[in-house]
Amino acid sequence: MKLLSKLLSFPTIMSLGSISNTLDDATHDALDKQVNECVGRSVENASLSDYSFLLQTVVKFSSGALDPKYDSSCAARELIRGQPGLADTLHAAWNNGPHRNIRNLSILQVPKPSAVEGS
């Protein structure tokens, strides 16, 4: 069975959880341009490594809004494997743009310092 058909059976982006859009349209457009220049467009039969590369690139070009740990291929692959629907979201963004849906995923945000850390 092809990877994409497996992925399409998973829940959509809504189940991944998203945050309110914190970047303006011009910033998203500029970041999308950087991502697209790096990864190119339209991929038919993407592999886990392809999705990992896209996720890493989106994190790299996020103006510091996303958790930098996902700039690691191991961490990116682990997250994609552990989050049903994430590969489908990455696939849709890669083929149709924009990447803001990825940037707005709550699982990718920089963790806020906890109150315990301040003690």
Side-chain angles (χ1 to χ4, degrees):
M1 182 182 272
K2 290 184 179 178
L3 178 62
L4 180 58
S5 57
K6 286 182 186 177
L7 298 173
L8 292 175
S9 67
F10 287 128
T12 62
I13 190 170
M14 297 307 290
S15 66
L16 294 172
S18 60
I19 61 164
S20 300
N21 196 15
T22 58
L23 302 173
D24 60 39
D25 288 342
T27 302
H28 275 295
D29 291 344
L31 295 173
D32 282 353
K33 183 177 178 184
Q34 291 176 309
V35 170
N36 291 335
E37 286 173 358
C38 189
V39 300
R41 276 291 205 189
S42 197
V43 70
E44 296 256 342
N45 295 311
S47 66
L48 178 59
S49 293
D50 293 326
Y51 293 132
S52 174
F53 176 64
L54 175 59
L55 180 57
Q56 289 174 258
T57 304
V58 171
V59 169
K60 179 179 179 181
F61 298 113
S62 70
S63 294
L66 302 182
D67 192 335
K69 79 177 178 183
Y70 298 117
D71 193 10
S72 151
S73 61
C74 290
R77 268 185 265 158
E78 185 178 315
L79 182 68
I80 294 165
R81 282 188 192 117
Q83 292 293 324
L86 180 54
D88 189 34
T89 299
L90 291 164
H91 185 85
W94 202 336
N95 286 303
N96 305 316
H99 302 292
R100 76 178 60 218
N101 288 343
I102 299 168
R103 277 187 219 98
N104 289 340
L105 290 174
S106 57
I107 57 174
L108 297 177
Q109 302 308 303
V110 174
K112 295 188 180 355
S114 67
V116 175
E117 290 177 16
S119 303

